[in-house]
Amino acid sequence: MNFITLLGRQPELSLAELEQRFGSSNVESFGRVAALVSAAEFDIQTLGGTVKAGRVIAELEKADWPRLSRDIVGRYARELKGDGKVTVGISVYGRDVAPRDVQRTGIALKQALKKQGRSMRLIPNEASALSTATSHHNKLGLSQNKIELLVFYGPGSVIVAESTGTQNITALAARDQGRPKRDAFVGMLPPKLALMMINLSGITNQNHTHDANDSTILDPFCGTGVVLQEAALLGFNVYGSDLSEKMVDYTQQNLQWLGAKHAIGDVRVELGDAIEHGWNLPISAVVAETYLGQPFSAPPAPDKLDKVRRIVDHITSKFLENLAQQLPSGTPLCLAVPAWRDSRGSFTHLTTIKKIESLGYEWQPLKTANTHNLIYYREDQVVARQLLLLTKK
Ligand SMILES: C[S@@+](CC[C@H](N)C(=O)[O-])C[C@H]1O[C@@H](n2cnc3c(N)ncnc32)[C@H](O)[C@@H]1O
């Protein structure tokens, strides 16, 4: 089965997530904003970096919109034979088609359906593509009578797909803002990024034999527990530790809150300094946003940055050394460590990254991205997160 996905704000990270999840032979980029995925099933809610997804229904020769539009209406009106009112939205990616021209396609489809005796509600286009919020709030792709046609212009052809759903931004926001304990100082890992990190580690790879219910994800810097929350929702048993008693308590409370609303597996949270703590095995994967150093709202002076980097380097390398002595060979990891962005957009990296191999880890190779350069950031952020995809040697 072939799916096409609309990638998130940082397409290279979204693509790497898909590659780790579905295997590199099953994922291919399609233009700059999309990817083709070959999989038996595709549940967008288990991915952090995919914004929309659809089942491929046709691959057409590249043509201007009016011609393509006639072709789509001709083919698709037949597909939509059936009863009851149908709601349809149309989104075009990879080419700037005027919203009113997309709208015309919708109107033509509506007329064709009317001739077949079926009525259709058309979602208005304010841009060539419907926003995630519009698609989500109209529940497009979630039932047979709420449809979104996704049209992707790629380098050599055009793919038409029927949406199977949009990222559930309401549920993500509720998990982020609704949980009882939040802490602006330890940082706010967005749930989307936490979900991406779990998939990026490789633990959810469809070719692995891991059964989530029998697997445990460890976060040794669990903070308020965002990674563990997302891991628990994917069905994993979760295990967290943190240096701060307050954070251990926050994670416990947040997971209790989650457990009251969803069926989740085992939860274990304990106090521990990651530099020397001994964790209980078995651990199937380690996913963590490690200590990021102090927050900065503007790029720090070089000597200040140097000082902070040294401290973070010390903690990170000692932690990695300690963990390597405990993990079985082959355990996958995804760690978010800081990289500091200056005003010209260049990054200062941890020096520990250069010693990863001597600390007992291997880089996980990627087909779609450079595994040494996966950085999650927003334009206004000084402290970016570099994602390290590793395997214990
Ligand atoms: C960037 S925050 C992680 C935030 C977390 N992702 C969340 O969801 O809230 C880093 C966490 O590491 C903890 N920490 C710092 N140094 C530590 C150490 N040596 N061992 C264990 N935890 C540590 C801090 O207390 C903080 O909660």
Side-chain angles (χ1 to χ4, degrees):
M1 179 70 78
N2 275 323
F3 293 91
I4 189 156
T5 67
L6 176 66
L7 305 170
R9 187 177 58 82
Q10 285 187 259
E12 70 290 1
L13 296 182
S14 305
L15 195 58
E17 181 191 24
L18 291 171
E19 179 183 346
Q20 289 290 79
R21 172 70 182 277
F22 295 98
S24 49
S25 56
N26 294 315
V27 176
E28 219 177 286
S29 62
F30 186 79
R32 228 188 56 77
V33 299
L36 284 165
V37 177
S38 163
E41 284 169 41
F42 191 96
D43 178 3
I44 191 170
Q45 308 317 342
T46 60
L47 291 154
T50 293
V51 177
K52 290 185 184 181
R55 200 172 286 116
V56 174
I57 53 175
E59 182 160 9
L60 307 176
E61 233 173 81
K62 235 170 153 175
D64 284 342
W65 184 248
R67 225 182 89 197
L68 212 56
S69 168
R70 278 195 297 279
D71 195 354
I72 292 171
V73 172
R75 282 163 186 259
Y76 204 66
R78 287 195 297 274
E79 302 264 331
L80 280 178
K81 277 201 179 113
D83 312 316
K85 188 164 181 158
V86 63
T87 301
V88 176
I90 304 177
S91 290
V92 183
Y93 297 96
R95 181 170 290 197
D96 238 351
V97 177
R100 67 168 182 282
D101 291 337
V102 181
Q103 207 66 28
R104 278 195 190 121
T105 307
I107 293 165
L109 187 62
K110 188 173 172 144
Q111 285 163 349
L113 286 186
K114 203 169 170 193
K115 278 190 199 147
Q116 294 172 194
R118 193 166 194 196
S119 68
M120 178 187 127
R121 177 169 86 96
L122 177 65
I123 308 277
N125 280 76
E126 278 165 25
S128 3
L130 301 177
S131 70
T132 316
T134 300
S135 302
H136 168 63
H137 294 308
N138 283 288
K139 300 190 166 53
L140 300 183
L142 300 186
S143 63
Q144 279 190 335
N145 58 359
K146 292 191 184 348
I147 286 162
E148 181 174 3
L149 280 182
L150 305 171
V151 183
F152 291 91
Y153 275 86
S157 62
V158 175
I159 283 184
V160 185
E162 198 178 296
S163 166
T164 53
T166 299
Q167 195 163 57
N168 190 340
I169 44 184
T170 313
L172 281 163
R175 299 213 287 275
D176 190 17
Q177 286 138 32
R179 64 208 163 104
K181 294 293 174 188
R182 290 158 58 78
D183 188 300
F185 191 76
V186 302
M188 296 281 188
L189 185 72
K192 260 196 246 190
L193 177 56
L195 198 46
M196 265 172 101
M197 287 169 59
I198 296 165
N199 288 317
L200 280 167
S201 76
I203 188 67
T204 57
N205 188 289
Q206 64 174 11
N207 298 322
H208 282 188
T209 47
H210 286 290
D211 178 2
N213 302 315
D214 289 333
S215 308
T216 300
I217 291 190
L218 169 73
D219 180 350
F221 295 83
C222 65
T224 62
V226 178
V227 168
L228 301 182
Q229 247 181 262
E230 295 307 310
L233 287 175
L234 289 176
F236 291 98
N237 297 318
V238 297
Y239 184 6
S241 59
D242 199 287
L243 182 63
S244 144
E245 224 162 302
K246 181 171 148 191
M247 290 302 136
V248 169
D249 176 47
Y250 275 20
T251 289
Q252 268 160 346
Q253 288 200 44
N254 284 336
L255 288 168
Q256 254 166 31
W257 169 78
L258 193 74
K261 305 203 297 178
H262 304 267
I264 63 171
D266 296 345
V267 174
R268 176 182 180 135
V269 191
E270 63 203 21
L271 197 61
D273 185 338
I275 287 181
E276 54 174 35
H277 193 63
W279 292 277
N280 261 63
L281 297 176
I283 289 163
S284 319
V286 180
V287 180
E289 179 190 32
T290 61
Y291 178 57
L292 301 179
Q294 72 186 79
F296 290 111
S297 51
D303 56 337
K304 174 75 189 168
L305 175 58
D306 201 48
K307 210 168 141 197
V308 174
R309 183 176 71 165
R310 273 168 208 268
I311 297 168
V312 180
D313 255 324
H314 174 77
I315 293 173
T316 313
S317 64
K318 290 282 172 208
F319 153 63
L320 284 171
E321 220 169 50
N322 175 35
L323 185 70
Q325 286 163 15
Q326 303 179 47
L327 285 185
S329 162
T331 310
L333 302 92
C334 176
L335 303 176
V337 301
W340 293 269
R341 216 160 158 256
D342 68 18
S343 49
R344 293 189 312 276
S346 310
F347 289 99
T348 300
H349 300 271
L350 285 182
T351 54
T352 308
I353 291 171
K354 292 226 168 70
K355 315 188 290 189
I356 287 287
E357 275 140 344
S358 66
L359 290 168
Y361 303 86
E362 269 167 9
W363 292 93
Q364 293 193 39
L366 290 172
K367 178 184 84 170
T368 57
N370 176 359
T371 190
H372 299 278
N373 197 26
L374 296 174
I375 304 180
Y376 176 93
Y377 67 96
R378 294 198 168 272
E379 284 304 320
D380 58 350
Q381 268 176 348
V382 177
V383 187
R385 295 164 175 109
Q386 178 161 11
L387 305 177
L388 313 180
L389 313 193
L390 310 171
T391 310
K392 167 69 187 19
K393 270 191 199 165

